[in-house]
Amino acid sequence: MFTNFVSAHQVSTNDAQALIDRAEAFKAGTPAPAHQPVYAANLFFENSTRTHTSFEMAERKLGLTVIPFDPGHSSVTKGETLRDTIKTLAAIGINIAVIRHPEDTYYEQLLDVSPTLAMVNAGDGAGQHPSQMMLDLMTIHEEFGDFTGLKIGIVGDLSHSRVAHSDADMLTRLGAQVMFSGPKQWFSPEYQQFGPYVPLQELVPQVDVLMLLRVQLERFNNNENAAFSKESYHAQYGVTEQLAQTMKPSAIFMHPAPVNRDVELASVLVDGPQSRIFTQMHNGVFMRMAMLEAVMQARHFGAVPAHSLNH
Amino acid sequence: MFTNFVSAHQVSTNDAQALIDRAEAFKAGTPAPAHQPVYAANLFFENSTRTHTSFEMAERKLGLTVIPFDPGHSSVTKGETLRDTIKTLAAIGINIAVIRHPEDTYYEQLLDVSPTLAMVNAGDGAGQHPSQMMLDLMTIHEEFGDFTGLKIGIVGDLSHSRVAHSDADMLTRLGAQVMFSGPKQWFSPEYQQFGPYVPLQELVPQVDVLMLLRVQLERFNNNENAAFSKESYHAQYGVTEQLAQTMKPSAIFMHPAPVNRDVELASVLVDGPQSRIFTQMHNGVFMRMAMLEAVMQARHFGAVPAHSLNH
Amino acid sequence: MFTNFVSAHQVSTNDAQALIDRAEAFKAGTPAPAHQPVYAANLFFENSTRTHTSFEMAERKLGLTVIPFDPGHSSVTKGETLRDTIKTLAAIGINIAVIRHPEDTYYEQLLDVSPTLAMVNAGDGAGQHPSQMMLDLMTIHEEFGDFTGLKIGIVGDLSHSRVAHSDADMLTRLGAQVMFSGPKQWFSPEYQQFGPYVPLQELVPQVDVLMLLRVQLERFNNNENAAFSKESYHAQYGVTEQLAQTMKPSAIFMHPAPVNRDVELASVLVDGPQSRIFTQMHNGVFMRMAMLEAVMQARHFGAVPAHSLNH
């Protein structure tokens, strides 16, 4: 029961399949069911284009009423705690708070705020990003119809990724085989349970899905390793046009974006026929509709006369 | 006639009761009447969570169309005057401008801007905050059913409060008995007409309502008085758990929020059974609906064919 | 065919007349036709009150669904290119992106982004501002019923204006006679093809329309010319109350705003009977409705079942 949707740990393989089915139905044109007014607010304490805009779109397609909230113009600037801010929004009648926040597991302290307010986590620090995981799964499912036996390579900044761990965990549970590559020092022990580290030249030719992870640009702007430049990363750990020619013709690229063009992936490949990077963004809207709907159903939002929600 | 709603001075005791009745009806589920399109904009030149979000919610519950406006991205940054900004919004078709501005009585120069644009004051400098006064009154009315004979203590930063003076004035006119406490240097002569200063230990046991006022945190960060800390304020002028035990069981806490927890009020009491602080926020939405509706009625907004508003 | 609306160069005299007719019909109360959901986003990379608010209003009057987008909180801050940002919005399902950007002809690189995303240019650097030109034309048409034989003076900062060149070009093609004034060093050779430079004292008495251009305040804050102050500009190149008395009684003032009161124009004249400055703002909403509608028609947005737009 998704009374809140805050972590990939909540998602069973059955849940994942049900959410994918529902998102694919929305994408195929199934209209969102009518409901009593439900009020959403999006609280983004970190900058975002894709996730923020995608949730805004999903909310409107579901028929939610969206109340604007800008953290920089809120009482957070007067020292109000996040918990008091969320309690305030609950008192005002917000039913769904979509939150991105730089603090890991910020949501733990907010789970019990109110029976009339649900949280959807849009990313916490270096922690969870469940809607990204779900849209990744949807994109793979849409492409291949099934997860069993798929070979999936996850490449890049494993230690800073909000989704690599969740994706690896869920894909393994769904029957896929996961491998990792990129700078070896970023392959932390927690990943070993899911699959092996494989040098990039060996990994690329055998995978069905190449999931590239964004490298934080700050990585390249320090003195620690002057030899570590965008160009050297691309040559060693990025997918060049030459390397891409060793891929299976049916294999696809994925990336959570924004892509550093010619770093993780040669720019021309970002827009090429094997890229599903913009498909991921497109699918994200429908997946977020499915996730928000799951939360509304678990909480019975919209099912009851509207004014009852506010009592 | 609320052709604009800018000051508590506009509100007679009859008006106050009518607005309370209407807000309580909205809270009980009375739907907002259908009307032709009416366009609102919220201009917050100071940060706010509660007031801003509450007006946004009230507007949507009334069926208004809300046009976003961010002062920081407006031509105000190019030196445009507030009057020219409001004239511009009127020309563009905004019917209701909800404004918070740091300048006292900013609204005086704007009253005659346009017959098709009404102003609602959401707080001016250290001046008026009529929607806060009205939601305070509603919360007391909802609790006790009547004002006559109620004892109300107003405690704290009287000299910086936008509502203490208005609340004291209106509550007195409605038949309540008002008393004041907190640091005595903040009890300015203007308050003496409404009621006496009473030491906090004496005041707390006899009141029905304890209205606490937010202390500006800047008060504690200067050299003027190094001994004046959050802790010392709480011990001397705040409501500690121990002091709260001397209250009547039927008495309630109120606070305009954001609360400085463990300064004006012990944190546990903010969320306790005698607190109506989140009820105030909740009531604020319905009261703002009643106030906006009163302005729409006085101006005949929404009653006439929509395009006529823009001629 | 306005598959995008980015430049005055796209607009034939027939187009101009058709858009003016449609905007005047909207102003007279013609309702916007019903359509399937169409999604708009407004991307303002420069501050604006008039243009931004006017597009927001026009979109809602047309029944578009507006998805908020704040460049300052977007991934543009992480170095994402404008092209990737627009591709992202297209993938998410935005159909119309209204963009203001400081870079000249930024839109050239974006024309082919997606068949389901159209651009409307709300101002590019010192380049185009087609909606301002169109609302200027509408305001003149509404006043005089025809352009043939009208005498129009364009006065002020010709070298920094986004609309002076387009307005002069189109007005000439529509049969009006254009003249220029202001500091002579700002009368660049490109204007000579449209009409002569005329000293202000000679120009004012003979024109039907006096189009004043905003002077960038930065002009006055440099050492280049210490004698160049607001006061000296007003006396030499601005319209003083005295000079205004030499105008024809039927002549009107126009200005793209925000006006520097008592610089380009004496403050009392801004609000006087010959000013059409606020009428321009009012007309801008209806003209932008006509322009957005033209784009929707060229792209068949809203005509097809909603979900097809997102495939």
Side-chain angles (χ1 to χ4, degrees), chain C residues 169-183:
Chain C
D169 181 26
M170 180 61 82
L171 286 165
T172 305
R173 286 154 60 198
L174 287 166
Q177 185 184 336
V178 177
M179 287 166 285
F180 302 93
S181 198

Side-chain angles (χ1 to χ4, degrees), chain A residues 26-29 46-50 52-54 56-57 60-61 70-72 100 214 217 257-261 271 278 281-283 285-286, chain C residues 39 65-70 72-81 83-85 87-95 306-307 309-311:
Chain A
F26 280 135
K27 188 172 178 178
E46 290 186 326
N47 292 342
S48 160
T49 294
R50 255 155 299 280
H52 192 168
T53 312
S54 182
E56 294 269 0
M57 180 67 87
R60 282 167 182 82
K61 291 198 168 193
D70 179 350
R100 168 167 288 187
R214 179 178 167 82
L217 288 181
V259 183
N260 295 306
R261 287 172 178 265
D271 306 304
F278 294 100
M281 297 176 200
H282 185 56
N283 288 344
V285 174
F286 303 106
Chain C
Y39 298 91
T65 302
V66 185
I67 302 293
F69 182 90
D70 179 349
H73 291 170
S74 74
S75 292
V76 173
T77 60
K78 300 178 195 164
E80 190 173 52
T81 63
R83 186 175 165 86
D84 275 344
T85 298
K87 286 191 73 157
T88 296
L89 295 182
I92 285 167
I94 298 294
N95 303 122
H307 68 269
L309 287 180
N310 297 311
H311 271 92

Side-chain angles (χ1 to χ4, degrees), chain A residues 63-108:
Chain A
L64 305 188
T65 301
V66 185
I67 301 293
F69 183 91
D70 179 350
H73 291 172
S74 73
S75 291
V76 173
T77 60
K78 301 178 194 163
E80 189 173 51
T81 62
L82 183 58
R83 185 175 164 87
D84 275 344
T85 298
I86 301 299
K87 286 191 73 159
T88 295
L89 295 181
I92 284 168
I94 298 294
N95 304 121
I96 302 182
V98 176
I99 308 177
R100 168 167 288 187
H101 198 279
E103 192 184 316
D104 281 19
T105 68
Y106 70 82
Y107 50 81
E108 296 286 2

